[in-house]
Amino acid sequence: MNKLSLSAFLFVLASFGAFAQQGLPLRPEIQAAYTKGTRSSTGKPGPRYWQNTAGYDLKVNFDPQSRLVKGTEEITYVNNSPDTLKQIWFKLYPNLYKKGVERKTKFNESDLGEGVQISALKIGNQVIEKKAMVEEGTNMYTAIAALAPGKSIKVNVSYSYVLNKGSHMRTGQVDEGSYFVAYFFPRIAVYDDIEGWNRYPYTGEEEFYNDFCSFKAEVTVPKDFVVWATGDLSNSASVLQPEIAGRLKKAEQSDSVIDVITKENLDARNVTKDKALNTWKFEAKNVTDFVFATSDHYLWKSSSLVVDPKTSRRTRVDAAFNPSHKDYYEVIDFARKTVHAMSYDFPKWPFPYSHETVFDGLDQMEYPMMVNDNPLENRENSITLTVHEIFHTLFPFYMGVNETKYGWMDEGWATIGEWLISPSIEPTMVDEYGVAQTGATSGSKDDSPVMTLTPDLKGSGSFTNSYPKPGLGYLFVKDYLGDELFTKALHHYIAQWNGKHPMPYDFFYSMNEGSGKNLDWFWNRWFFSEGVTDMAIKDVELTNMGYLIKIENKSAKPLPVDLNLEYEDGSQEKVHRTIGVWEKGDTIAEIDIPTSKVLKKVVLGSAHVPDRDGSDNTFHVKVK
C-alpha cells in the first residue's frame, strides 16, 4: 500500500470500534466534503456540489492494415469547480503499451511500442511545447494560464499511436479484419471535490474514472468496414448501402430480431458505400467515454424494445459477431432480455441509453453503450457474461462511480444483476459466481474490508472484494428490506446521483434515507470490517411446540440463515431468516420451528451464503 492510502485505511480500522454504534467511520476527505457542502450526510449531493465537464469533437482515422490510430480533437473544458486551475492533467490510456511504463499486467515485449505521440497541443491561445508536456506513464500534465471558476477553455490535440495486436487488454485487434478501439484519444482527467485531479495511473488492473461529457465523433475507415460505437449514428444513409440502412431503421422500431448484415451481404461485399474511405458520424451526450469497433466480416443482428412505457422510449440492441462463433447467434436474445429485465424487473429503472451493442471481441469488458465479449462454448457462461457486462450500463456509466478507487461500486452491482437476471433467461441455472470463493478465502491473508481501496487489494482479494462480497452485501440488504422497499431506496440513490460522481458514503446514506432505515449496523460490519464468513448449527432442542434451532455466527458479518429441514416421514421444509437476526450484535440466533412432526436432519446454507467451513452445517437430530 502507498502511504496515503495506508493511512486512510488504518484510520478506518481505528475508527471502526468508536463509530460502530454511532455511524460510519468517515475518512478525512469525506468529512472535508461535508464541511465544504459538496456532499451531505443525508446521501444527497450537497448544496455546493459541482463537477467539471467537457465537449469533445473527435476526428479519427483508423487504418486496419497498419493499425495506426491518427486523430485530432477539440475539447471545450468547463471548470465548474470553485478553484482556479493552473494545470490540466490528461489521461493517455494507450500508454499502457508504451515501453518502460509501469504496469501490473504482463505484456509480451513484442507488443510494446512508443505509446501516444502528441504532435500538437494548444490550450487556449497557448501552444504547448513538447518539453512542457510532462508524461508519467498513462498520465500527462502541463501548466496553463489560470482557468478561473465558471470559465471554459479550448484544448486542441493532434495525436497518433499504433493499436495493439497482441496482449489484448480491453482494446486491440480481435482478428484479421476486426478491431475494438477503446481509450484511444487523450482526455482530460477528472478534477473532483474529493482529491482534485485524478492522478491514479492506469496499470491494466484498476479500471476507470471519467467525467460526464458530450461527444461528436467522426471515424474514418476503409470500404467494407462497418463501425459500431458509443452514441447514435447520424449518417447511416451516407455510409451504408440503402438496403442495410433500411434494415437498421426497421430494427429501431421492431420487437423482432432483424438481420441487418447477412452472410449473403458479406459475400457480395455490398454492405457499405462503395468509396475508398467512409466517415461514420456519431453523437453522444452526457456519457463518460467514447469507443468504437470495426470489422469487414461481421454479421449484425438487431432488435429494439420499449424500455420506458411512460414515454414509449425504445432501446436498440445489437449483436455484431463473427459468423463462425455459434454462441453469438443467441447473444442478441440474451442481450435483449437483459435490457428488458433491467427496465422492468431489477432494478426496474428504464434502460438509460438509445442502444447497446454486444461486440464479438477478445475480452469481457464494458463501455458506454458497448460491450466487448469473447465467444464462449458454454451457453450458461454466455448468458452470465452478457448480463454482467450490460448491467454495467447503470454502474459505472449512468452512475459515474470512481472504479479506480472503488471497483466494488460497479462490479458488485453487475454481479448481483448477473445473479438475479441470468436465471430469468435460463430458469434451470443457479448463478453463484464467486460465492464459494468468498467463503473459502474469508479471514485469509488476502481478505480485507470491502472499503479497502482497489489499488491496494492483493491476490484473491482483488476478485472477492470487487465482485461477490459487495454483490452479497447488496443482495442481503435487498432480502432484509424486501423487494419493494429496497427498490424504493435504490431508486432514491439512482435519482440523486445519476450523471454525477457518487462515493461510497453517498451510496450508504442514500440507501438509509431512501429506505427510511438506518442500515449503518450492516454497512459497518459488511463493508468496513474483516474476518471470516462462517456459521454453524450449534444445537437443536425439542420444545413443547416443536424445535428450537440455534445457529452460531462465527464472525461479525451478518449472514442470512437458510435451513433445510428433513422429517422422519420424508417431508422437507425450508426456513429462511434475513440478516436481521444479527442486527443487535448477537452471535447466536434462535429459530423456533413449530411442528408436530419428528425432525430428522437440519442442513444450513444456500447458494448465495458464503461459508468458510461447511463441516458444521449438518445436524442429525437424536430422537428422545
Side-chain angles (χ1 to χ4, degrees):
M1 299 182 182
N2 61 63
K3 292 181 179 179
L4 177 63
S5 56
L6 176 59
S7 61
F9 177 58
L10 292 177
F11 176 85
V12 169
L13 295 184
S15 304
F16 176 74
F19 285 86
Q21 301 305 318
Q22 303 172 31
L24 302 181
L26 292 181
R27 285 177 168 153
E29 65 270 23
I30 301 301
Q31 185 61 65
Y34 293 163
T35 301
K36 291 184 295 186
T38 57
R39 295 172 193 264
S40 167
S41 59
T42 66
K44 294 178 180 178
R48 295 186 177 88
Y49 178 80
W50 56 268
Q51 62 191 46
N52 290 351
T53 188
Y56 285 79
D57 190 347
L58 306 174
K59 293 179 173 61
V60 58
N61 285 265
F62 177 63
D63 179 9
Q65 288 282 330
S66 64
R67 306 190 313 281
L68 180 66
V69 179
K70 187 175 183 179
T72 63
E73 58 183 336
E74 180 174 277
I75 309 169
T76 303
Y77 183 68
V78 183
N79 179 21
N80 291 319
S81 82
D83 306 322
T84 296
L85 303 180
K86 298 180 180 180
Q87 287 182 330
I88 287 184
W89 282 67
F90 295 85
K91 294 295 182 181
L92 305 180
Y93 290 132
N95 274 2
L96 183 68
Y97 290 90
K98 185 176 182 178
K99 295 176 182 177
V101 166
E102 183 180 354
R103 63 185 67 84
K104 294 182 180 178
T105 304
K106 291 184 178 180
F107 291 159
N108 290 329
E109 284 294 321
S110 61
D111 296 328
L112 302 181
E114 300 306 313
V116 179
Q117 301 297 303
I118 305 289
S119 56
L121 174 60
K122 183 180 180 182
I123 301 178
N125 296 319
Q126 181 182 7
V127 174
I128 308 298
E129 301 294 335
K130 189 69 177 178
K131 62 184 178 181
M133 305 176 203
V134 183
E135 286 193 24
E136 296 179 350
T138 54
N139 289 331
M140 183 183 81
Y141 66 90
T142 188
I144 61 169
L147 180 60
K151 300 296 182 179
S152 63
I153 196 168
K154 294 282 188 183
V155 179
N156 293 89
V157 189
S158 297
Y159 66 95
S160 64
Y161 75 95
V162 177
L163 184 72
N164 56 295
K165 183 176 183 177
S167 297
H168 193 97
M169 176 55 69
R170 306 185 178 109
T171 182
Q173 179 172 326
V174 177
D175 60 28
E176 292 296 333
S178 302
Y179 310 83
F180 200 99
V181 187
Y183 324 120
F184 63 92
F185 58 95
R187 87 249 350 255
I188 297 177
V190 174
Y191 184 85
D192 68 20
D193 63 308
I194 300 298
E195 55 190 14
W197 289 111
N198 170 30
R199 303 180 187 187
Y200 279 87
Y202 173 45
T203 67
E205 286 195 2
E206 300 83 14
E207 295 182 6
F208 306 95
Y209 184 37
N210 296 315
D211 271 322
F212 285 89
C213 300
S214 62
F215 293 90
K216 289 183 178 180
E218 296 183 7
V219 182
T220 300
V221 292
K223 178 186 179 298
D224 295 328
F225 279 85
V226 177
V227 177
W228 296 266
T230 301
D232 297 320
L233 176 64
S234 61
N235 68 331
S236 58
S238 300
V239 292
L240 291 168
Q241 291 290 340
E243 183 180 12
I244 308 300
R247 292 175 190 165
L248 179 60
K249 186 175 181 179
K250 181 179 178 181
E252 290 172 347
Q253 297 298 321
S254 177
D255 291 331
S256 302
V257 174
I258 305 297
D259 290 309
V260 178
I261 297 176
T262 66
K263 185 67 165 58
E264 290 72 24
N265 296 135
L266 294 173
D267 291 341
R269 300 176 68 86
N270 64 348
V271 174
T272 69
K273 289 289 188 178
D274 192 14
K275 295 184 290 185
L277 297 173
N278 286 303
T279 297
W280 300 66
K281 297 181 180 181
F282 299 89
E283 187 168 354
K285 295 180 180 179
N286 207 36
V287 294
T288 58
D289 202 357
F290 180 91
V291 302
F292 72 91
T294 187
S295 176
D296 64 354
H297 61 275
Y298 270 21
L299 300 177
W300 184 355
K301 291 181 178 289
S302 186
S303 181
S304 65
L305 67 154
V306 173
V307 294
D308 188 350
K310 293 181 180 179
T311 63
S312 298
R313 181 172 61 82
R314 300 181 76 91
T315 290
R316 192 187 81 236
V317 182
D318 302 324
F321 59 99
N322 190 318
S324 66
H325 295 156
K326 301 306 179 186
D327 65 314
Y328 255 92
Y329 289 86
E330 275 196 286
V331 163
I332 184 66
D333 181 53
F334 304 156
R336 193 178 191 280
K337 287 179 177 177
T338 299
V339 171
H340 183 277
M342 290 172 63
S343 302
Y344 294 98
D345 302 322
F346 181 79
K348 298 184 179 179
W349 190 273
F351 196 84
Y353 300 118
S354 58
H355 77 85
E356 181 72 22
T357 299
V358 183
F359 188 83
D360 181 358
L362 294 178
D363 222 301
Q364 301 185 353
M365 187 61 191
E366 69 280 358
Y367 318 78
M369 305 185 209
M370 299 275 286
V371 299
N372 173 12
D373 284 353
N374 59 289
L376 296 166
E377 294 184 5
N378 181 284
R379 184 173 183 269
E380 290 190 357
N381 289 345
S382 184
I383 291 172
T384 58
L385 175 59
T386 303
V387 175
H388 185 105
E389 303 308 339
I390 292 179
F391 204 92
H392 274 302
T393 298
L394 291 181
F395 310 89
F397 301 130
Y398 192 58
M399 307 288 286
V401 301
N402 185 344
E403 298 177 275
T404 306
K405 290 178 66 175
Y406 306 110
W408 60 269
M409 290 190 73
D410 75 297
E411 295 297 355
W413 284 111
T415 301
I416 184 179
E418 173 189 329
W419 288 337
L420 297 176
I421 293 175
S422 296
S424 71
I425 297 175
E426 175 48 69
T428 62
M429 68 183 294
V430 177
D431 183 9
E432 48 191 348
Y433 176 64
V435 179
Q437 187 173 347
T438 299
T441 61
S442 65
S444 69
K445 64 179 179 63
D446 291 334
D447 191 28
S448 57
V450 176
M451 280 290 288
T452 305
L453 299 184
T454 301
D456 296 337
L457 295 173
K458 306 295 182 184
S460 61
S462 296
F463 168 69
T464 55
N465 260 37
S466 298
Y467 294 79
K469 282 170 69 175
L472 290 167
Y474 305 147
L475 189 68
F476 296 163
V477 171
K478 180 177 182 290
D479 180 44
Y480 171 74
L481 294 177
D483 288 350
E484 184 176 349
L485 187 55
F486 179 82
T487 300
K488 177 185 175 184
L490 182 54
H491 283 194
H492 177 74
Y493 169 51
I494 295 174
Q496 295 295 327
W497 285 100
N498 76 81
K500 301 182 179 69
H501 293 309
M503 299 297 165
Y505 297 89
D506 304 317
F507 163 68
F508 296 138
Y509 291 139
S510 286
M511 292 295 289
N512 286 0
E513 185 177 75
S515 65
K517 291 181 177 293
N518 188 339
L519 298 167
D520 288 356
W521 66 272
F522 179 76
W523 306 136
N524 263 317
R525 293 188 230 170
W526 192 263
F527 288 88
F528 289 84
S529 69
E530 55 189 339
V532 298
T533 52
D534 192 18
M535 294 190 297
I537 304 174
K538 192 71 173 176
D539 196 13
V540 178
E541 299 176 1
L542 185 64
T543 68
N544 292 333
M545 301 297 294
Y547 294 89
L548 179 68
I549 301 177
K550 295 182 178 180
I551 304 299
E552 179 185 10
N553 191 339
K554 297 182 178 181
S555 78
K557 297 289 186 71
L559 297 163
V561 177
D562 288 284
L563 301 174
N564 187 67
L565 311 181
E566 183 179 327
Y567 294 99
E568 285 286 352
D569 63 4
S571 62
Q572 294 188 351
E573 178 184 0
K574 292 186 181 296
V575 175
H576 175 74
R577 297 291 186 271
T578 74
I579 55 173
V581 298
W582 313 112
E583 186 169 351
K584 296 180 180 179
D586 297 327
T587 58
I588 299 292
E590 297 185 343
I591 300 175
D592 285 305
I593 306 296
T595 183
S596 58
K597 299 179 182 180
V598 177
L599 186 60
K600 178 182 178 182
K601 185 171 71 172
V602 180
V603 178
L604 169 69
S606 69
H608 292 108
V609 178
D611 199 299
R612 176 72 180 265
D613 178 11
S615 65
D616 47 16
N617 288 9
T618 300
F619 194 99
H620 295 275
V621 183
K622 296 179 180 180
V623 180
K624 297 181 180 179

